[in-house]
Amino acid sequence: AMATAGPRSFSAAEVRARCAQGACLVSCHRRLYDLSGFVRLHPGGEQLLRRRAGTDVSAALDGPPHRHSENARRWLEQYYVGEIEPGDEQGCAAQNPAAAAQLCAWYWDGLWVPQHYNHCLLPQDLVDWQKPLLWQVGYLGEKYDEWVHQPVDRPIRLFHSDFLEFLSKTAWYVVFMVWTPVVLYLSWVSYTSLAQGNTRLFSSFTTEYSIPIHKYYFPFIFLLGMILWSLLEYLIHRFVFHMKPPASNYYLITLHFLLHGQHHKSPFDSSRLVFPPVPASLVIGFFYGVLRLLLPEVLGLSVFVGGLCGYVIYDMMHYYLHYGSPKKGTYLYGLKAYHVKHHFEHQKSGSFGISTRFWDYPFRTLIPEETFKKED
């Protein structure tokens, strides 16, 4: 029988050559990882790449060593490419700032992974990634909750049917292109209908004390719709998307994975970061029907269009938090870091509201501030 080949060895010269071509390599206890594709998705990664030239590599890191979750350490193992040749570790450390200008290795030795951390390859997976996952996950039972919250960097296929698979995926700009014209049109319809002066609140209960709704109220009603959407998003995300399905219920596990579990399993699958228009239209239609039952027609439409605008902003923001590179120190940079914490460490709290942390305060689901502080 043929012997299994061991890990590939890399010399310091080879590491420098690959980095000079634009690669971003990470060394940790002689293990070498290629983060070229991932580094720009990490908060601060884009800034690191801009600032590294002419500096010591360790100085290019964002401050002193900081704590990472077990999921983050497990995530790193996906990018393992081999071992640095014995005796070449110092060559890769680039202690000379001039050499560091040529070496784009993001040197994490002793910084990112504690010395006591036991390196291991990814455990054998519990599913067959060559087949659609949706019909497999229900059989994981009690192992599902832990498995789905161990993120991987690979695309997911849900359905056997190519047609259903097509409907379950979409590019981010499709959401903007489909729903923005709808928001603009319904805003115009709502405003012009209110301008006719026939809309009154509570008119179904009393005519004497009913309240007229003027066209000048439309911006405030629109804003109310956006706020209500923000609250609804929080509640759905927290209590539906992040429910823990019973281990014995195949169908609830499958439903959870379809609704949100697949996103936490593969958070950088770009085709599944926004809600596809066809299933979204069914959900949006349901909420429109509810508002039609609760409010006068034009008033319900005005609230609805504000909520629809809030949804479009939410989906665009969600995509940006995964693939954008906001400038360090900005609100969006903090929000991206906060959302990354949600995916890799605090998956049961925080970031239930994508575009704002507001609802995390009154509902006490805020990610603790100390988890963002640097370690000594």
Side-chain angles (χ1 to χ4, degrees):
M2 184 178 295
T4 303
R8 182 185 170 188
S9 294
F10 291 83
S11 66
E14 187 175 1
V15 171
R16 288 194 187 91
R18 292 186 61 173
C19 289
Q21 296 173 358
C24 185
L25 301 179
V26 174
S27 166
C28 184
H29 310 312
R30 286 190 53 217
R31 293 174 68 87
L32 194 64
Y33 304 87
D34 188 347
L35 297 189
S36 304
F38 175 69
V39 66
R40 288 176 174 82
L41 305 180
H42 189 286
E46 191 72 34
Q47 284 73 36
L48 172 66
L49 294 177
R50 293 194 193 106
R51 290 160 41 205
R52 70 183 178 218
T55 65
D56 187 280
V57 174
S58 60
L61 290 168
D62 185 16
H66 55 284
R67 186 171 65 88
H68 286 74
S69 67
E70 289 298 321
N71 269 333
R73 295 165 187 154
R74 188 181 295 110
W75 180 274
L76 178 66
E77 290 298 328
Q78 297 177 99
Y79 307 110
Y80 172 73
V81 291
E83 306 279 334
I84 296 177
E85 292 179 356
D88 269 1
E89 296 93 332
Q90 294 301 318
C92 288
Q95 296 174 345
N96 185 335
Q102 302 298 321
L103 176 65
C104 64
W106 194 355
Y107 196 76
W108 284 358
D109 235 348
L111 296 177
W112 197 76
V113 180
Q115 295 291 336
H116 65 268
Y117 180 66
N118 182 25
H119 283 295
C120 61
L121 296 178
L122 291 173
Q124 184 176 3
D125 217 322
L126 302 176
V127 297
D128 184 352
W129 285 89
Q130 304 304 314
K131 299 178 181 179
L133 296 189
L134 189 60
W135 314 119
Q136 300 184 57
V137 294
Y139 295 112
L140 296 182
E142 61 184 15
K143 297 179 181 179
Y144 170 75
D145 189 65
E146 180 181 5
W147 174 84
V148 81
H149 290 113
Q150 294 177 352
V152 297
D153 187 11
R154 62 191 304 172
I156 283 179
R157 183 179 178 96
L158 292 177
F159 299 98
H160 291 282
S161 166
D162 290 338
F163 179 68
L164 290 178
E165 186 70 9
F166 170 76
L167 293 181
S168 72
K169 303 165 70 173
T170 191
W172 68 269
Y173 53 83
V174 173
V175 171
F176 183 83
M177 292 173 60
V178 168
W179 295 114
T180 300
V182 177
V183 170
L184 294 175
Y185 173 73
L186 294 183
S187 295
W188 177 79
V189 170
S190 299
Y191 180 80
T192 55
S193 299
L194 289 175
Q196 296 177 9
N198 300 323
T199 305
R200 303 181 72 89
L201 191 59
F202 306 124
S203 60
S204 59
F205 300 103
T206 173
T207 55
E208 184 178 358
Y209 297 104
S210 61
I211 303 173
I213 306 298
H214 299 291
K215 62 181 181 181
Y216 306 109
Y217 295 165
F218 175 73
F220 303 101
I221 301 171
F222 186 95
L223 181 61
L224 175 63
M226 293 185 67
I227 295 172
L228 289 176
W229 156 255
S230 177
L231 175 60
L232 183 64
E233 176 215 332
Y234 175 90
L235 296 175
I236 291 176
H237 201 155
R238 179 178 177 182
F239 295 107
V240 179
F241 289 172
H242 280 273
M243 68 173 179
K244 184 177 181 180
S248 60
N249 195 312
Y250 172 92
Y251 296 102
L252 279 181
I253 291 176
T254 301
L255 178 63
H256 178 269
F257 189 73
L258 176 64
L259 292 177
H260 197 61
Q262 45 90 11
H263 173 54
H264 268 263
K265 187 61 183 176
S266 183
F268 293 103
D269 186 343
S270 61
S271 64
R272 299 190 185 278
L273 284 176
V274 294
F275 203 2
V278 172
S281 63
L282 301 177
V283 177
I284 289 170
F286 168 78
F287 286 117
Y288 174 70
V290 171
L291 288 172
R292 281 291 305 273
L293 291 174
L294 298 178
L295 298 171
E297 180 177 358
V298 178
L299 184 59
L301 183 62
S302 301
V303 174
F304 170 78
V305 71
L308 183 59
C309 180
Y311 155 69
V312 174
I313 294 173
Y314 151 82
D315 247 359
M316 298 299 97
M317 181 73 78
H318 187 210
Y319 187 89
Y320 183 77
L321 293 185
H322 280 263
Y323 276 91
S325 298
K327 186 178 180 180
K328 180 174 170 52
T330 62
Y331 173 77
L332 290 177
Y333 180 91
L335 208 57
K336 181 180 175 77
Y338 191 74
H339 193 63
V340 168
K341 277 283 185 181
H342 169 68
H343 270 283
F344 285 87
E345 187 170 6
H346 292 271
Q347 297 166 328
K348 300 297 184 181
S349 63
S351 263
F352 294 130
I354 297 300
S355 55
T356 176
R357 304 182 199 178
F358 175 79
W359 298 111
D360 281 329
Y361 288 95
F363 289 106
R364 298 183 178 182
T365 53
L366 196 70
I367 295 177
E369 285 294 327
E370 55 266 24
T371 65
F372 292 91
K373 295 178 180 179
K374 307 287 195 261
E375 288 186 340
D376 295 331

